[in-house]
Structures are given as structure tokens and as C-alpha cells.
Amino acid sequence: MSKRFNRIYVEITNICNLNCRFCSKDNLPKKEMTIEEFAIVINKIKDFTDTVYLHIKGEPLMHSNLDEILSICEDNKIKVRITTNGTLLKKKIDILKKHSLNQINVSLHCENDIKDYLENVFSVCNELKKKTTIVYRIWALPSMKIDKMSTKIVDKIKDYYQLDDNIVNKIMNDKNIKIEDNLYLDKDYEFIWPKITDDNNEYGTCLGTKTHIGILSNGVVVPCCLDSNGVINLGNIFNDDLDMIINSELFKNINNGFKNSKIYCNLCKSCTYRNRFIKKDILT
């Protein structure tokens, strides 16, 4: 049986309408997948997963053929999750309501100066959550308590949804909090995008190649969604079958290394995510 992934990240565009400081700077030419290219991707990955995340870098709602992209996923019975900065939700609401989306993640910590940004996001998401799970995402401290930047966002959420003190307290101190049916708030601390450094730490693990892989807008397959520049090039989905890619020596070396808490690639040695899952993986 073919290897199955919990999800595959597909970057339908690496173009974004914002320039947030916490987002890594990439060196790749700006590109969006054509409909023909995306159809190739879905045809080649549909036997390996039932869920795609339309995001690595870029703003997926900017894709000029978003409607067709979502239709291809529906035709192939692929569940879709979108991660967006939320600035185009109001403009794209008709397309989003038209399709059966599994989940929409809205990064509320994006840096923009759009008037009434949060109010527009909340209003649109109230419509979308009738048939789609909505997850608001904000930054937190490593302790999962709210940082100063996110406190203003939480205050807006509290006022708009008229939350009681019990839920607000959970938001301030916990993660993955249910606000209403089909509406959640997720928190995570700001990570550092990996880049090759002199770090020689060869020990650690990751879920990349184990539960997921990523596909960049140029077709390059990467072991995880943090390799936005395609430093670890496993192959190109436009030219190669996925079965061939995941049976390559490079893929196997990375995958086997993570299984044994040993890092194979230099990029991964500098990644702050490398030890996040080590206890869980050792236990299982």
C-alpha cells in the first residue's frame, strides 16, 4: 500500500498582499500554479492523502482561479484547509461559501493597516462557520499566555462575541479554545523560519515526511511546510510521480532519521521545530 500522509501542503501561489516582519523572505520567483499544474498535483497526490492545505507561503485567496482550484479538489473528493491573513475574506466570500471547505485558518496577527480589518473578518467568518470550521490564530508567549501584541486582538474577540470571563481566561492561558460552534481560537508562539547555520546539533525529530510534506508553487516537493525556499528538494511533482519521490534515497534518509531522533539535513538542524515532537515520537 502507498504511504499515506495526514495532509499535504500545496502552495497554489507564493504571492502575498502583505509583508509581515515574521514571515521569511524567499528567493524564489513569484508564481501561482496554473489550473493545469494544480490538476496534475491533485491527480498525483490523491492516493496519498485526503486533505490538502492550500498554503506554505503566499496568500491563497489571491489566486486568480480560486474557484476552479476548489472545484478540482471537490471533484477528487479532497478535503481543503486554507490558511489566510483574512484581508481578502470579504472579497472572496461568495467563492468560499460556494464550496465545501473543511477548515479556514485566519492569522489575525498579520500586519496590515486595513480599516475595520477584524470586524470584517468576524462578520465574514460568522457566515462561513455555518458549514466550515473557522480557526483564528494569534501569537502567544512560550508559556501559552497572551503577549501584548495579541491582547488587543483578544479584546476585540471578547467584545464582538460577548464572551464570558471563563472563556476569556482560557484564551489568555490555554490553546485551542472553542468560542462557538465551528469557531475556535488557536495560539502558538512565534517561530523562526529555518535557514542553514553553523548549528551542528544532529539530534531531534519532526513530523515532516512522517505525517506531511509540502509542494511549492514551482512544483518542488519539500519535507515540511517550513522549507519555503525548497532548500531540501525531493523532486518536482510536475515531472515525477510522488511514489518515486517518497521512495528516493533522500526521502528515506530524512524519514528514517526523524524516526530515530537524528537529523539528516543541515536545514533541519537549525529549525526550532526539530524537538517539538520528540517526546511524543519516542513514546509512540
Side-chain angles (χ1 to χ4, degrees), residues 255-272:
N255 186 256
N256 290 332
F258 285 149
K259 286 179 180 178
N260 294 289
S261 298
K262 187 163 183 178
I263 301 172
Y264 182 77
C265 294
N266 288 333
L267 182 69
C268 304
K269 294 176 183 178
S270 66
C271 183
T272 57

Side-chain angles (χ1 to χ4, degrees), residues 97-258:
K97 288 174 66 174
K98 175 181 175 182
H99 297 278
S100 299
L101 300 175
N102 181 256
Q103 185 170 307
I104 299 176
N105 305 314
V106 187
S107 298
L108 298 181
H109 49 248
C110 74
E111 297 171 350
N112 68 81
D113 58 358
I114 298 174
K115 184 180 179 182
D116 299 325
Y117 162 72
L118 287 175
E119 289 77 6
N120 287 334
V121 167
F122 297 157
S123 175
V124 173
C125 287
N126 275 349
E127 285 294 310
L128 295 176
K129 75 183 182 67
K130 293 176 181 178
K131 66 174 186 176
T132 301
T133 298
I134 304 294
V135 180
Y136 295 147
R137 289 180 170 176
I138 60 175
W139 292 135
L141 301 170
S143 64
M144 282 301 110
K145 292 183 180 295
I146 290 290
D147 61 9
K148 290 183 179 180
M149 175 183 173
S150 297
T151 298
K152 293 180 180 179
I153 298 175
V154 172
D155 287 342
K156 289 277 190 178
I157 294 173
K158 174 185 176 182
D159 292 342
Y160 187 90
Y161 291 100
Q162 299 183 333
L163 302 181
D164 61 37
D165 292 340
N166 183 48
I167 295 180
V168 173
N169 184 59
K170 288 182 179 180
I171 290 175
M172 299 301 287
N173 297 286
D174 301 331
K175 61 183 300 184
N176 300 324
I177 302 100
K178 181 176 180 179
I179 297 176
E180 294 180 351
D181 288 345
N182 283 348
L183 180 64
Y184 298 83
L185 176 71
D186 190 23
K187 293 158 43 185
D188 208 345
Y189 54 88
E190 185 176 339
F191 59 83
I192 300 173
W193 288 81
K195 60 182 178 180
I196 295 177
T197 65
D198 293 329
D199 191 336
N200 294 315
N201 187 347
E202 298 182 355
Y203 299 98
T205 191
C206 182
L207 298 182
T209 73
K210 296 165 70 176
T211 65
H212 67 273
I213 55 173
I215 300 173
L216 302 181
S217 57
N218 60 9
V220 169
V221 179
V222 291
C224 110
C225 59
L226 294 185
D227 186 3
S228 62
N229 279 309
V231 174
I232 307 173
N233 188 333
L234 298 173
N236 194 295
I237 197 68
F238 299 150
N239 306 319
D240 307 318
D241 289 333
L242 188 55
D243 191 59
M244 182 178 77
I245 292 173
I246 65 177
N247 280 293
S248 67
E249 182 177 359
L250 177 56
F251 184 96
K252 289 181 178 178
N253 285 337
I254 296 170
N255 186 256
N256 290 332
F258 285 149

